[in-house]
Amino acid sequence: MKNILFLITIISVLFISCDGRKSKNVALKESIKAFSQKESNLELVSFYPEEYTEVVTDTIISNKMKVHIRNYSLDKTILISNSDTTSPKKIRYHRVFESDVIITSPSKELFKTHISAIQFASLHPDEFWDNATLQHVWLNEELSTPEDIQLEMSFINPQNESYKLYRMSVDHFGQQRIILIEEHS
């Protein structure tokens, strides 16, 4: 009788422990399969620079001229790459930049301008400008004098990594002249 009771207890424990749940190994494999199916729809989007950027530079040239340059990014972007073949899908963007330049003498404002790739595209039609943006505007202190301010501007096309470098001369009357210094296609 003790043996029958012992046998019934063991059989009942076996039936109770087999409740139809999946083993850890089977559950893990199913989770991995479900995640892999969802991963194919993921998109990794990156921006350069990652967030809004602004650089302001104020320079005084021999107490006669003050140059104020403000370089900043916009909410507009340029698509650099879109990899449809990889999983997860990777999309990269480059933010569009513009700049404001103000040149003043102690008594008055001599020159004020807004610089953007769109502005230069209208002046110098070229395929380069289709996806170009301003990279940076800066004062060339070595070449500048109080009578002739030399600003340098670089534009970049992030899709094909080409660039153009321009120099803008502004005389003490506020007249400007722009020349192309260097370009790389």
Side-chain angles (χ1 to χ4, degrees):
M1 181 78 164
K2 287 184 181 179
N3 289 340
I4 293 176
L5 219 55
F6 182 68
L7 187 59
I8 291 174
T9 305
I10 290 177
I11 292 172
S12 62
V13 168
L14 286 175
F15 279 120
I16 291 172
S17 66
C18 295
D19 60 356
R21 288 187 281 179
K22 299 174 190 172
S23 69
K24 288 182 181 179
N25 195 19
V26 171
L28 179 63
K29 286 180 183 178
E30 288 178 0
S31 294
I32 290 172
K33 185 178 178 182
F35 178 76
S36 296
Q37 289 173 347
K38 288 180 185 176
E39 184 189 56
S40 64
N41 298 329
L42 289 178
E43 290 183 350
L44 296 177
V45 179
S46 63
F47 292 91
Y48 176 79
E50 291 182 10
E51 53 192 37
Y52 175 78
T53 303
E54 181 175 328
V55 177
V56 177
T57 307
D58 284 320
T59 307
I60 297 175
I61 300 176
S62 73
N63 295 332
K64 293 184 180 178
M65 296 283 201
K66 179 181 176 186
V67 180
H68 174 83
I69 302 171
R70 178 177 166 245
N71 296 302
Y72 55 94
S73 62
L74 303 175
D75 288 336
K76 295 184 210 175
T77 57
I78 298 170
L79 178 66
I80 299 174
S81 69
N82 186 357
S83 59
D84 292 333
T85 57
T86 62
S87 181
K89 186 176 177 181
K90 295 179 183 176
I91 303 171
R92 296 183 326 143
Y93 292 99
H94 190 289
R95 293 190 192 274
V96 173
F97 279 80
E98 293 184 351
S99 183
D100 295 321
V101 176
I102 302 171
I103 300 174
T104 57
S105 69
S107 59
K108 65 178 180 174
E109 182 176 284
L110 295 174
F111 181 77
K112 182 177 185 177
T113 189
H114 176 80
I115 301 171
S116 69
I118 295 169
Q119 174 190 18
F120 270 74
S122 64
L123 297 174
H124 309 281
D126 186 355
E127 193 175 293
F128 168 83
W129 300 107
D130 292 344
N131 295 300
T133 183
L134 177 69
Q135 192 172 20
H136 197 64
V137 176
W138 67 97
L139 174 70
N140 186 330
E141 293 182 48
E142 292 178 5
L143 300 178
S144 293
T145 65
E147 290 77 32
D148 189 36
I149 305 297
Q150 301 290 320
L151 300 172
E152 310 233 340
M153 301 166 282
S154 63
F155 294 90
I156 186 169
N157 185 326
Q159 286 186 338
N160 59 15
E161 297 181 1
S162 58
Y163 66 88
K164 292 187 182 225
L165 181 63
Y166 287 89
R167 179 171 296 142
M168 177 189 291
S169 299
V170 180
D171 65 18
H172 61 280
F173 298 113
Q175 299 298 314
Q176 71 173 345
R177 190 179 83 239
I178 299 172
I179 58 171
L180 177 65
I181 298 175
E182 182 181 340
E183 67 180 314
H184 179 278
S185 300

